[in-house]
Amino acid sequence: MPDGDPSPSHLPSHPPSRLPLDWVAASLRRERTRAGLSLSELAKRAGIAKSTLSQLEAASGNPSMETLWALGVALGVPFSALVEPPAPAVQVIRAGEGPTVHSEQANYVATLLSASPPGARRDIYHLRVEPGAARESEPHIPGTVEHIIVSTGRLEAGPRGETVELGAGDYVSYRGDLPHRYEALSPGTTFVLVMQHI
């Protein structure tokens, strides 16, 4: 257990009553798959019955705080990874928004758009696109996330059916392992594309 985390004995015996079980189920399946563990192996490591774990992954049952904590420890992930709501599929930060840090020594402002997860690899591209036909992209390798920052012009980008319109300085991120598209809405559109692979 990481330093500073409260021990299970100091936490409530049950998660919040309105905690959607499908969040927990999806998180458990995702983390168990990522760890390469079978239902039986994870249940054994966590000290719980395989049937209990099977019910949780099927979004049924009423998991106790202790059960979820034990599963988090067995998976090597923080408790929050199992109970946090899913992140939005598309995240947009408009120009002038986002957390900023100012320099005391120069007129210099940094805005954090996205922190790199542990173990991620990022490739950076600069693209120039013109109005006309949209660029339709098939899914990249599983776990790919795309980050776009528009430099000039206007761009429509994102997963098919969830595209957003962006102007200069706007940022968007979305899953790149789904079909997605890019379309220039004004001449001379340029943007930086960062492809993150986990």
Side-chain angles (χ1 to χ4, degrees):
M1 184 182 310
D3 292 341
D5 281 355
S7 66
S9 62
H10 294 103
L11 295 171
S13 59
H14 298 284
S17 59
R18 293 192 175 274
L19 177 68
L21 292 178
D22 54 341
W23 291 357
V24 174
S27 297
L28 281 171
R29 287 191 302 270
R30 179 191 68 231
E31 297 300 338
R32 182 173 64 79
T33 300
R34 185 175 294 164
L37 298 173
S38 66
L39 277 169
S40 298
E41 181 60 25
L42 177 55
K44 179 180 175 184
R45 290 185 184 191
I48 64 172
K50 179 182 174 184
S51 60
T52 299
L53 179 56
S54 180
Q55 286 179 341
L56 290 179
E57 287 200 5
S60 62
N62 187 18
S64 69
M65 182 69 70
E66 289 80 9
T67 296
L68 292 176
W69 198 279
L71 286 165
V73 170
L75 288 164
V77 299
F79 174 80
S80 60
L82 301 181
V83 298
E84 280 181 330
V90 178
Q91 179 188 4
V92 179
I93 299 176
R94 297 295 179 189
E97 297 179 354
T100 60
V101 180
H102 299 262
S103 170
E104 293 180 351
Q105 300 174 355
N107 188 0
Y108 184 94
V109 179
T111 301
L112 176 65
L113 300 177
S114 173
S116 180
R121 188 185 83 227
R122 287 184 166 178
D123 303 322
I124 302 174
Y125 302 88
H126 183 265
L127 293 108
R128 176 178 295 277
V129 292
E130 297 294 336
R135 164 77 170 104
E136 302 286 344
S137 181
E138 293 303 313
H140 302 302
I141 61 174
T144 299
V145 175
E146 293 198 352
H147 304 263
I148 289 176
I149 306 165
V150 176
S151 304
T152 59
R154 296 199 66 75
L155 179 74
E156 183 177 325
R160 291 181 196 158
E162 294 185 80
T163 58
V164 293
E165 188 174 321
L166 305 162
D170 289 347
Y171 161 84
V172 65
S173 70
Y174 53 85
R175 287 179 56 182
D177 55 4
L178 299 173
H180 51 283
R181 66 195 305 271
Y182 321 89
E183 183 176 0
L185 303 179
S186 64
T189 295
T190 60
F191 64 98
V192 174
L193 169 65
V194 179
M195 294 184 64
Q196 171 184 302
H197 310 284
I198 298 178

